[in-house]
Amino acid sequence: MAELTNIRSPRVKAARRLTKRAFRDRDKAFLAEGPQAVREALTIEGVTVELFTTAEAESRHPDIIAAAAATGVPVHRASGEVMADLTQTITPQGILAVCRFVHVPLGQAVPTGARLVALLAHVRDPGNAGTVLRTADAAGADAVVFTDASVDPYNGKCVRASAGSLFHLPVATGAPVADAVRQAKDAGLRVFAADGAGTSTLDEVDLSHPTAWLFGNEAWGLPPELLALADEVVRVPIYGRAESLNLATAAAVCLYSSARAQRQNLHSVEHPTTSPR
């Protein structure tokens, strides 16, 4: 195939503008960089619009090129200069996809029957938000909600930090925090706010039932008006001398604690212990 070498070509310019949120919102499209993200995007029909790859990346990831060909996704070979212009990393991995938005309405993301949900309130750091999304996916969560004051989930750093998890579980965006909490409660979930000022610790609350975790801003946490929305404010116990945990770490502890408690509860229901006669 002919190689794209001009960073001013219309195709390259159209893709590069998706690094700006205004253009992402206008085009309803974003960039997914790296083999893991692109591989996962290609598993969802109709999401991947086109693929840019260097010759070296083509040889390293023939499965991705084959998957694109099998689904009719155009593949454009790009020079190193063009790839560097399109990507936002210091060392580009040589493969990048233009994808359509994948988020769903709040009610679809958090329906009745959901058991574990992460609600992001005023989370601004894209790396943290993407890591929480990846952690929620690993913990088996049903959805992640990016409320209206939180970072754009299609921010390049957030997409990279999610390591493909953006394409694995429902993501809702743009809802006010109060609406997201109300939807979670209406769906039958108990809402816990994770905050260092919690009156209960993670060891003291019952996490075996459907739960939504509300996580706040990296610097100032959750303000009183948002803490008041939760059923209970819970803190992660600090056993050592650290002052606190960062957002992504605290979210991982909370989500995995819920996932573990729910799995243990399900196992006890399916395999009840019988007392000897």
Side-chain angles (χ1 to χ4, degrees), residues 40-211:
E40 300 307 313
L42 285 167
T43 65
I44 308 175
E45 184 178 357
V47 165
T48 308
V49 176
E50 59 184 341
L51 193 64
F52 294 85
T53 178
T54 62
E56 182 183 2
E58 281 182 48
S59 64
R60 288 202 312 268
H61 306 289
D63 60 314
I64 295 177
I65 306 305
T71 53
V73 173
V75 179
H76 312 297
R77 182 177 295 164
S79 67
E81 181 183 10
V82 166
M83 188 59 67
D85 187 63
L86 288 174
T87 58
Q88 297 176 288
T89 53
I90 296 174
T91 308
Q93 298 181 67
I95 193 161
L96 173 143
V98 175
C99 300
R100 295 184 177 92
F101 280 2
V102 295
H103 63 269
V104 299
L106 178 61
Q108 183 178 333
V110 190
T112 300
R115 295 195 59 83
L116 183 58
V117 173
L119 309 176
L120 304 187
H122 302 277
V123 174
R124 303 291 176 81
D125 182 84
N128 272 334
T131 301
V132 173
L133 177 53
R134 181 180 184 180
T135 301
D137 180 22
D142 295 286
V144 176
V145 179
F146 287 68
T147 60
D148 57 355
S150 288
V151 68
D152 176 17
Y154 302 115
N155 174 287
K157 187 174 180 180
C158 185
V159 175
R160 291 193 300 276
S162 80
S165 290
L166 176 62
F167 304 105
H168 289 170
L169 76 173
V171 172
T173 67
V177 178
D179 290 354
V181 170
R182 187 180 306 111
Q183 177 63 35
K185 291 182 177 181
D186 289 348
L189 292 96
R190 185 169 174 80
V191 177
F192 290 131
D195 192 89
T199 54
S200 302
T201 70
L202 198 59
D203 297 333
E204 297 168 340
V205 293
D206 182 3
L207 299 175
S208 63
H209 302 292
T211 300

Side-chain angles (χ1 to χ4, degrees), residues 192-256:
F192 290 131
D195 192 89
T199 54
S200 302
T201 70
L202 198 59
D203 297 333
E204 297 168 340
V205 293
D206 182 3
L207 299 175
S208 63
H209 302 292
T211 300
W213 280 100
L214 181 62
F215 301 112
N217 180 269
E218 295 85 353
W220 62 80
L222 291 162
E225 63 271 20
L226 296 188
L227 292 175
L229 297 174
D231 294 304
E232 193 165 354
V233 181
V234 180
R235 70 180 187 275
V236 177
I238 302 292
Y239 303 122
R241 297 173 62 187
E243 184 271 332
S244 64
L245 297 173
N246 67 22
L247 169 65
T249 303
V253 173
C254 294
L255 290 167
Y256 263 91

